[in-house]
Amino acid sequence: MTDTATPQEEIQEVQPAEAEGTAQSHQPHQQPNADGRPPRAPRQPRQQQRPQRQKPKQAAQPQRARKVHPALEKLFELYPGMFGARFLPLKLGVFQDLLEKHPDDFKKDELKVALGLHARSTRYLEAVAAGLARHDLDGNAVEPVAPEHVHHAILELHRRRVQRNPGEDLRPQLVARIARAVEASGLDREAYAVLVRSRDEETNAVLDEALAELARQAAKREALLRAFEASGRSSEHEFAEMYGMDADEVARTLARARTERQPAAPAA
């Protein structure tokens, strides 16, 4: 007799009443007793409910630690402020700087692979997409990240989020982030579009949507400025109170609208 119950035994344990009824129906016909009373049915052995055997819980498999490129480990040791807990955009030409500063620590091909892995990491792309300045190995900000690099980092981060969250509509977040990047670039909408437009129709459509939203916001600011000028009010505070608006917000909006009215400076 094995320790594990067969399927038939499991049915008997779950449905004992049906099992007993089946057993009685197969008993041979018995003659009545001498006094005419029907014979007493023999007692059926009482079936004991067997405790369900619980399968032992499988121990959780430990996750394998991702192997880190040896050159990246060395970079972390040498420059923890740049390759450690926080990632910062690197200055252009940092590859050559590292080879010159540490000729015995890095092989050219291995360093190139390691920096490529670092630059493609999500954390690094987040730093670029945020518009942080490029830094040298000493942690000094030396130059801004080009608007097209910020734009492409935003698109790549969006692509990765879509892969992690299939079915979720992340397009509004992408449009809003590109709109903020356009404003932070210091370029007008047309110049930004020329700089980042690609052959991909989908990304161009998202870009056009962000530019259209910025145009709507600019039109609202211009309309508010015209309303203030036509109101005859000399005080922005009085104008805000007249329409029940926040005075500080009105002042900021009007100041920006006046700046946007000024003709753009010619390109150098």
Side-chain angles (χ1 to χ4, degrees):
M1 187 172 181
T2 60
D3 292 337
T4 305
T6 64
Q8 290 81 2
E9 290 172 335
E10 290 178 355
I11 293 174
Q12 289 177 351
E13 292 171 1
V14 175
Q15 298 175 326
E18 293 183 9
E20 290 177 4
T22 304
Q24 291 178 5
S25 64
H26 286 81
Q27 291 295 331
H29 181 69
Q30 297 181 5
Q31 297 295 328
N33 293 333
D35 55 4
R37 290 180 299 173
R40 298 179 64 181
R43 288 187 177 181
Q44 295 296 330
R46 203 171 180 183
Q47 289 187 336
Q48 296 181 350
Q49 183 84 8
R50 293 185 184 180
Q52 294 282 347
R53 284 184 174 271
Q54 295 183 353
K55 295 181 180 180
K57 293 183 179 180
Q58 295 182 352
Q61 295 294 331
Q63 294 183 352
R64 294 181 178 179
R66 186 177 298 178
K67 190 174 181 181
V68 180
H69 194 284
L72 278 177
E73 291 184 337
K74 189 64 178 178
L75 287 170
F76 171 72
E77 294 176 7
L78 294 171
Y79 303 101
M82 297 294 297
F83 298 89
R86 185 187 183 195
F87 286 5
L88 293 171
L90 298 169
K91 71 179 285 284
L92 301 179
V94 73
F95 172 72
Q96 192 61 37
D97 292 346
L98 286 166
L99 289 178
E100 292 175 359
K101 284 191 172 184
H102 309 280
D104 299 328
D105 291 323
F106 300 108
K107 294 181 180 180
K108 187 174 182 180
D109 292 340
E110 291 182 354
L111 179 60
K112 185 179 294 185
V113 171
L115 287 177
L117 293 172
H118 180 72
R120 289 191 297 273
S121 68
T122 298
R123 289 174 59 197
Y124 186 85
L125 290 173
E126 284 286 5
V128 174
L132 300 179
R134 293 190 180 277
H135 290 66
D136 61 18
L137 293 174
D138 295 324
N140 301 313
V142 293
E143 57 190 346
V145 175
E148 61 268 31
H149 295 169
V150 175
H151 185 81
H152 293 309
I154 292 173
L155 292 178
E156 175 59 22
L157 289 170
H158 173 74
R159 185 187 67 81
R160 297 182 186 186
R161 290 194 183 99
V162 169
Q163 289 181 342
R164 294 195 303 268
N165 304 278
E168 186 175 350
D169 184 13
L170 300 174
R171 186 186 180 98
Q173 298 178 21
L174 175 61
V175 171
R177 193 163 192 181
I178 290 178
R180 292 194 297 270
V182 175
E183 293 187 312
S185 70
L187 301 172
D188 60 38
R189 295 187 294 274
E190 291 75 13
Y192 187 94
V194 170
L195 192 61
V196 305
R197 196 173 293 279
S198 68
R199 296 180 180 179
D200 185 78
E201 294 182 0
E202 179 62 23
T203 57
N204 288 338
V206 173
L207 171 63
D208 290 338
E209 190 174 340
L211 295 176
E213 175 58 28
L214 289 174
R216 285 191 293 270
Q217 294 174 8
K220 288 182 179 180
R221 289 190 291 270
E222 174 64 20
L224 184 67
L225 178 56
R226 290 181 179 179
F228 171 69
E229 293 171 344
S231 69
R233 303 284 180 175
S234 58
S235 168
E236 296 175 353
H237 184 78
E238 291 179 5
F239 174 75
E241 284 188 342
M242 183 171 62
Y243 289 98
M245 295 184 291
D246 181 83
D248 293 337
E249 181 64 26
V250 167
R252 286 192 295 267
T253 303
L254 293 177
R256 184 170 178 182
R258 293 187 183 100
T259 302
E260 292 171 342
R261 271 189 180 180
Q262 297 174 2

